[in-house]
Amino acid sequence: MSDATMKPLQVGLIGFGTVGKGVFDVLRRNEEEITRRAGRPIRITWIATRTLDRARDGTRGVDGVNLTNDSAVVVRHPDIDIVCELIGGVEPARSMVLDAISRGKHVVTANKALLAQHGNEIFAAASDKGVMVAFEAAVAGGVPIIKALREGLTANRIEWIAGIINGTSNFILSEMRETGASFADALKEAQARGYAEADPTFDVEGIDAAHKLSIMSAIAFGVPMQYEKAYAEGISKLTREDLRYAEELGYRIKLLAITRRAKNGIELRVHPTLIPTKRLIANVEGAMNAVLVKGDAVGATLYYGAGAGAEPTASAIIADLVDVTRMHTADPNHRVPHLAFQPDQLTDVPFLPMGEVETSYYLRMRVDDKPGVLADITRILADRDISIDAMIQKEPSEGEFQTDIILLTHRSIEKRVVDAIAHIEALPTVRDKVVRIRLEQLN
Ligand code: HSE
């Protein structure tokens, strides 16, 4: 029987920035309902923060909570049941988490970089100690995608996942398309709104999305986390021209994170991708996140919501605190495994190198406006078994003798397309590098 008057579970927060404050506020505001759900009260009793003066400022509302600037005090405190790590980055977060686990404490973390790179080590340590490491907030912020993949879809053989899981990049692409803003201005605005990582190259170069994708891939396919196998290409080289041409062809460009069970292995890739505008996920704009999951039984399911921000992230963290509270006294063997599959049942399916990935392509080339140019290009593609799906050729501007040709291809193996591009670029009539953006129909 649950008893809301039972001794509270005690939480220590490590980090008290935007997200930490969000957790504190939501937990306090919804305390009564959360307690009724969890079966016992959940209390933040310690906070470790580098900015003690700010935390002590009366406006932060943390009266009655113990404050320290030494995280070890919290991690090692005998009364703390759950350590909530909110500092981000690999070190010192990794050492703190391992220290907490070694002391038999559960861990709740939003740290995708840490889990993507050291998740296997951390989960193994947690299993040895019989404690839980919960990480709903690490992927897509407030969207409960970990819960959905690990539990809601557990009947399915997952076929693929395609997600918009970096709000900063999505915000930038929306701004560039809707307002004509430059990449640099849109990034500044995303930073001002607090979406971006400490190092924004993590956002715009696909690294943050690759961290999150590695976590989802492991859960979906029952493989160890292997971030180092992920391919990451960001949005910093996209031009407004290509966003416009894509629209003309009925597509929208998104930074898509894709993991797919292919014949010879698992694809794990993040890159700008054309998606048909008529797909729901193509219309996810601004800093919002969305994840499309294809299961063999359920078909396609779509999860949408805020991927960053204080209270959306707090929503996911508190869900983890409640889960841990409910399962705290359960036999560790009866808990949901960290990566959905029992730890001794993970398999070692290889991840495919990018050259072996199969997808479609948008190719834009600047060419001399002369007879035979198009024939040369299509021959190069045909020789490599690459079939053309659609094409537009622009009229040269007044007084110009060069023009843009844009081709969309059917699905092909990437290494063939790379080879075709090298041969196209070697044609004397082709100016500049060929712009290559991958394309997914998502049907
Ligand atoms: N920098 C991340 C984003 C925050 O832009 O989505 C949430 O992980």
Side-chain angles (χ1 to χ4, degrees), residues 112 165-168 195-197 203 208 212 289 307-308:
K112 55 257 162 142
I165 50 177
N166 182 261
T168 301
Y195 303 146
E197 295 301 302
D203 296 296
D208 174 71
K212 296 165 179 167
N289 281 199

Side-chain angles (χ1 to χ4, degrees), residues 30-352:
N30 296 342
E31 184 176 5
E32 191 260 344
E33 286 198 47
I34 291 169
T35 306
R36 280 164 57 208
R37 290 188 176 120
R40 61 195 279 193
I42 299 172
R43 291 263 151 75
I44 295 172
T45 53
W46 276 92
I47 296 175
T49 172
R50 274 182 312 189
T51 51
L52 263 183
D53 289 344
R54 196 173 63 142
R56 282 202 185 107
D57 166 355
T59 61
R60 304 284 280 178
V62 293
D63 312 338
V65 178
N66 301 294
L67 299 171
T68 171
N69 58 8
D70 181 1
S71 60
V73 170
V74 178
V75 169
R76 298 175 185 180
H77 198 288
D79 292 343
I80 291 294
D81 303 296
I82 308 174
V83 171
C84 189
E85 181 273 307
L86 302 174
I87 56 170
V90 171
E91 283 297 353
R94 175 181 158 274
S95 306
M96 282 177 198
V97 164
L98 290 172
D99 192 13
I101 291 170
S102 74
R103 290 161 200 276
K105 299 185 191 305
H106 305 293
V107 172
V108 171
T109 177
N111 193 333
K112 55 257 162 142
L114 173 65
L115 293 179
Q117 294 171 77
H118 299 282
N120 302 324
E121 176 192 20
I122 289 169
F123 297 141
S127 297
D128 283 351
K129 272 291 188 179
V131 297
M132 292 172 268
V133 175
F135 52 94
E136 183 62 70
V139 183
V143 183
I145 186 63
I146 300 297
K147 191 85 167 173
L149 280 173
R150 206 160 54 172
E151 300 177 48
L153 298 176
T154 202
N156 290 264
R157 182 176 160 85
I158 305 291
E159 294 173 5
W160 51 261
I161 299 174
I164 295 173
I165 50 177
N166 182 261
T168 301
S169 297
N170 204 52
F171 176 84
I172 291 172
L173 293 176
S174 290
E175 287 286 292
M176 287 173 74
R177 193 180 59 79
E178 287 167 11
T179 70
S182 70
F183 173 81
D185 284 346
L187 171 59
K188 267 193 219 125
E189 181 60 26
Q191 286 178 294
R193 292 179 185 218
Y195 303 146
E197 295 301 302
D199 177 353
T201 59
F202 274 40
D203 296 296
V204 299
E205 299 306 343
I207 298 162
D208 174 71
H211 286 148
K212 296 165 179 167
L213 182 68
S214 311
I215 298 172
M216 290 198 291
S217 183
I219 294 174
F221 302 125
V223 295
M225 215 95 79
Q226 290 173 68
Y227 164 71
E228 67 286 358
K229 305 275 174 62
Y231 173 83
E233 179 185 315
I235 60 165
S236 59
K237 294 193 183 68
L238 285 179
T239 65
R240 281 175 277 189
E241 231 178 341
D242 290 308
L243 297 182
R244 209 177 52 240
Y245 284 146
E247 290 285 319
E248 268 183 54
L249 287 154
Y251 293 83
R252 197 153 287 173
I253 301 181
K254 295 290 181 189
L255 182 70
L256 212 61
I258 301 168
T259 185
R260 185 193 307 269
R261 197 196 291 264
K263 230 180 285 142
N264 305 324
I266 295 171
E267 298 178 4
L268 192 64
R269 52 193 170 103
V270 176
H271 47 69
T273 312
L274 277 81
I275 314 170
T277 312
K278 62 185 179 211
R279 300 266 180 270
L280 220 43
I281 193 170
N283 294 281
V284 170
E285 299 294 353
M288 300 308 273
N289 281 199
V291 184
L292 188 56
V293 183
K294 175 80 190 324
D296 69 336
V298 72
T301 54
L302 180 65
Y303 308 83
Y304 169 86
E311 295 210 354
T313 311
S315 167
I317 289 170
I318 296 170
D320 280 345
L321 292 175
V322 171
D323 262 357
V324 171
T325 303
R326 286 171 174 154
M327 298 307 285
H328 176 58
T329 50
D331 176 343
N333 292 320
H334 296 161
R335 294 175 184 155
V336 180
H338 291 114
L339 292 177
F341 290 71
Q342 297 298 336
D344 60 352
Q345 295 297 313
L346 298 183
T347 54
D348 218 3
V349 182
F351 282 85
L352 290 179

